Amino acid sequence: MIEVSGLSKHYGDYIAVHSASFSAAKGEIVGFLGPNGAGKTTTMRMLSTYLPPSAGSARIAGFDVVTQSDQVRRNIGYLPENPPLYGEMRVDEYLYFVGRIKGLPESQLASRVAEVIERCFLADARKKLCQHLSRGYRQRVGLAQAIIHNPAVIILDEPTSGLDPRQIIDIRKLIGSLAQEHTVLLSTHILPEVQTICSKVVIINRGRTVLESSLADLIQNRSLEQAFLECVSSDEAVTASF
Amino acid sequence: MRNILAIGRREVLSFFVSPVAYFVITGFLLLAGYFFFNYLLVFNVYVARFQGMPYPGGQPTPNLNQFVAEAFYQTLLIVLVFLIPLLTMRVIAEEKRRGTFELLVTSPISVLEIVLGKFLGLAFVIITMVVLAACFPLMLAIYGDPEVLPLFSGLLGVTLCALGFASIGMAVSAFTENQIVAGISSMVVLLLLYVIQSPAEAMGNTVGAAILNYLSPVAQVRDMLRGVISISSLVYFGSMIALGLFLSTRALEAYRWR
């Protein structure tokens, strides 16, 4: 579903992502880990077609992000780090709008909006203005917006950051429930989160992918924390060993 | 087309949910009303003076079209120079700042559709504004005896000019993330355009002067105020709108590729 090979993004001399490669199969939830500034957001932006890569290629559901970006955009749901909400719109108005620009036919619009409202626990907020929502609700509306057109691949940039423990649990449940029909790539730096919901882990450090492994293999004889620290503290050595 | 309508609808909704559209429309009508009142008063004085003259030969006969309608429409143009940027400054700059631009661009719609949708939304607000301001020439038609055709063609000229200004303002907004910068820059650009023909007179009978005269929206609207809708003016305003849309599209495409 997601195939990334040699993906790079350079801003002049600054290298944000250098030759990142990994893949994700249908139905997998992939945890995308790395310290702050490692290049997680840039990579996700390239996968979502927001940023054009400087080199390398990425395919989403079989379509190339540069040459077939229109098909890619039909097949992804993307939640950026800050949910892209219009403060002056009500939650249901907003979801109708997103459904339309994502290409949902008018006949399915009402039922899809109702479905994501139920799925993301937004029933009591559907008539509220987005600017009056709490952080937790904003995040849930962001998630609803990402899944409304039932995309094959869902890309979530730190979906649980800034939420209280209760909300984190709800969101995790929700993401877990997406796994059957969708492939999910989610970035985070909360390790226990990966342990509870992900089936696969990709670690990126200073713009390079330093590890790609199934969660079970990774934590066979060490904790996830140990594995993560090994990767980010001596990524050169680790890269060599892979 | 459906995408363009979706974007346009959202734009209109956001104009009328936030106070922006109400303030701009109210301000426009208030200023328009005051100028209208002023021109009527001046016209009254002129008529009284004209009637008092024993032999008014050589003096132009006062008529409502020239003394009130034309002057009124011409003043509306300068009001638009200052108010249109207040409408356009947020249209694209704000999307970039609050991150919703990321949503639009990662949706299966083209940048051109985004730009056209936004322009459609702006056009709706502007046409609402001009239609409401049409109450002033309507009063002339009801209580006075003007020629009606120039009232309509003048209104059309003002509308086309406003749409051209909006398109330019939107392009300026597409180049920045900062609304204030967008607002000030559009005001400067539009004011410059408004006065662009001023050096023409001093330049005499040169090509440069002819170009400056052609580029002036005031000169282009002038014929329309007198009831002449020429192809050349329609092409002028059409090109102004097209140029703004083109620049907006380009600016947004470049924004992702920087």
Side-chain angles (χ1 to χ4, degrees):
Chain A
M1 273 292 145
I2 306 177
E3 300 149 60
V4 177
S5 71
L7 198 66
S8 304
K9 182 72 191 173
H10 306 165
Y11 293 100
D13 286 342
Y14 178 71
I15 296 170
V17 176
H18 184 73
S19 198
S21 301
F22 61 89
S23 66
K26 189 173 189 318
E28 270 183 328
I29 300 187
V30 180
F32 195 39
L33 304 178
N36 282 327
K40 301 190 292 288
T41 298
T42 308
T43 305
M44 292 181 137
R45 283 181 162 175
M46 287 192 279
L47 294 181
S48 71
T49 74
Y50 180 62
L51 286 179
S54 311
S57 72
R59 299 179 86 79
I60 302 272
F63 299 110
D64 187 274
V65 293
V66 178
T67 57
Q68 295 164 303
S69 91
D70 200 56
Q71 281 98 322
V72 170
R73 284 181 270 153
R74 281 176 206 286
N75 284 293
I76 50 150
Y78 173 46
L79 171 62
E81 204 169 341
N82 288 311
L85 307 185
Y86 290 98
E88 70 278 11
M89 290 180 105
R90 295 181 196 287
V91 170
D92 55 351
E93 278 170 356
Y94 172 74
L95 292 173
Y96 272 97
F97 168 69
V98 176
R100 283 198 183 96
I101 62 170
K102 296 286 179 189
L104 277 179
E106 212 67 26
S107 56
Q108 290 177 24
L109 210 51
S111 65
R112 284 300 301 164
V113 169
E115 193 183 326
V116 294
I117 282 180
E118 194 197 312
R119 235 176 141 174
C120 301
F121 316 104
L122 288 167
D124 48 339
R126 63 179 301 160
K127 286 292 170 198
K128 279 194 184 158
L129 289 180
C130 289
Q131 64 195 10
H132 295 155
L133 296 178
S134 67
R135 172 87 193 159
Y137 271 103
R138 294 173 63 84
Q139 208 70 33
R140 278 187 255 168
V141 177
L143 212 52
Q145 153 292 120
I147 61 175
I148 191 159
H149 53 305
N150 223 340
V153 174
I154 298 171
I155 299 174
L156 308 170
D157 199 351
E158 303 197 7
T160 56
S161 76
L163 300 186
D164 70 38
R166 179 66 232 239
Q167 295 168 329
I168 291 182
I169 292 168
D170 286 347
I171 294 265
R172 277 184 199 162
K173 261 193 216 145
L174 179 60
I175 295 171
S177 75
L178 297 173
Q180 292 98 40
E181 316 132 60
H182 311 273
T183 303
V184 181
L185 178 68
L186 95 150
S187 78
T188 179
H189 32 223
I190 308 167
L191 297 177
E193 188 160 291
V194 176
Q195 226 147 352
T196 39
I197 52 178
C198 297
S199 51
K200 184 173 181 175
V201 179
V202 172
I203 299 180
I204 181 170
N205 189 29
R206 286 190 262 156
R208 293 156 203 269
T209 37
V210 288
L211 180 130
E212 178 182 0
S213 158
S214 78
L215 184 73
D217 289 349
L218 185 66
I219 58 172
Q220 221 167 22
N221 44 24
R222 54 188 172 170
S223 76
L224 186 59
E225 276 88 351
Q226 278 171 330
F228 179 77
L229 288 175
E230 273 170 35
C231 286
V232 300
S233 57
S234 59
D235 62 356
E236 265 72 47
V238 177
T239 320
S241 75
F242 271 84
Chain B
M1 194 60 209
R2 184 169 171 256
N3 292 333
I4 299 175
L5 284 179
I7 302 273
R9 250 171 84 168
R10 204 214 65 74
E11 203 61 35
V12 170
L13 183 138
S14 122
F15 268 122
F16 285 100
V17 169
S18 74
V20 180
Y22 300 104
F23 273 80
V24 172
I25 293 178
T26 311
F28 182 70
L29 292 178
L30 191 72
L31 289 166
Y34 192 71
F35 283 117
F36 184 70
F37 168 69
N38 171 46
Y39 290 128
L40 272 185
L41 224 54
V42 171
F43 181 70
N44 255 346
V45 171
Y46 191 82
V47 169
R49 208 179 285 160
F50 188 84
Q51 281 170 342
M53 286 181 211
Y55 303 105
Q59 296 284 335
T61 323
N63 82 63
L64 272 180
N65 283 90
Q66 192 190 344
F67 282 72
V68 181
E70 252 181 62
F72 172 69
Y73 284 144
Q74 245 160 11
T75 317
L76 288 190
L77 296 187
I78 187 75
V79 174
L80 289 173
V81 164
F82 289 99
L83 289 185
I84 294 283
L86 300 179
L87 282 179
T88 58
M89 63 183 205
R90 47 162 287 286
V91 279
I92 295 176
E94 195 181 23
E95 299 264 359
K96 291 189 199 162
R97 194 189 48 80
R98 61 180 170 187
T100 44
F101 184 61
E102 224 165 320
L103 165 70
L104 298 182
V105 171
T106 57
S107 299
I109 55 177
S110 69
V111 171
L112 182 65
E113 284 174 319
I114 298 174
V115 167
L116 288 176
K118 295 213 156 258
F119 184 69
L120 198 67
L122 276 171
F124 182 87
V125 177
I126 286 170
I127 290 172
T128 309
M129 191 158 99
V130 176
V131 165
L132 289 174
C135 67
F136 300 112
L138 187 69
M139 275 184 234
L140 282 190
I142 292 175
Y143 296 106
D145 187 23
E147 261 185 83
V148 176
L149 179 71
L151 295 185
F152 278 107
S153 63
L155 211 55
L156 178 70
V158 171
T159 311
L160 285 176
C161 192
L163 292 177
F165 285 179
S167 180
I168 301 285
M170 180 166 75
V172 174
S173 178
F175 279 97
T176 173
E177 276 179 42
N178 186 320
Q179 291 189 44
I180 307 295
V181 169
I184 295 172
S185 321
S186 335
M187 243 178 239
V188 169
V189 169
L190 293 183
L191 197 55
L192 205 62
L193 193 63
Y194 186 83
V195 298
I196 201 163
Q197 92 289 16
S198 0
E201 212 173 324
M203 285 162 78
N205 208 358
T206 57
V207 183
I211 292 175
L212 291 186
N213 274 326
Y214 178 76
L215 287 179
S216 164
V218 186
Q220 294 290 353
V221 169
R222 194 169 296 136
D223 284 345
M224 288 189 162
L225 298 184
R226 294 180 185 153
V228 183
I229 303 175
S230 67
I231 300 289
S232 138
S233 318
L234 294 181
V235 168
Y236 172 83
F237 288 114
S239 324
M240 199 202 286
I241 293 169
L243 178 72
L245 297 177
F246 172 76
L247 289 177
S248 309
T249 313
R250 276 298 133 113
L252 289 186
E253 278 165 358
Y255 182 71
R256 291 161 64 209
W257 287 87
R258 78 219 137 127

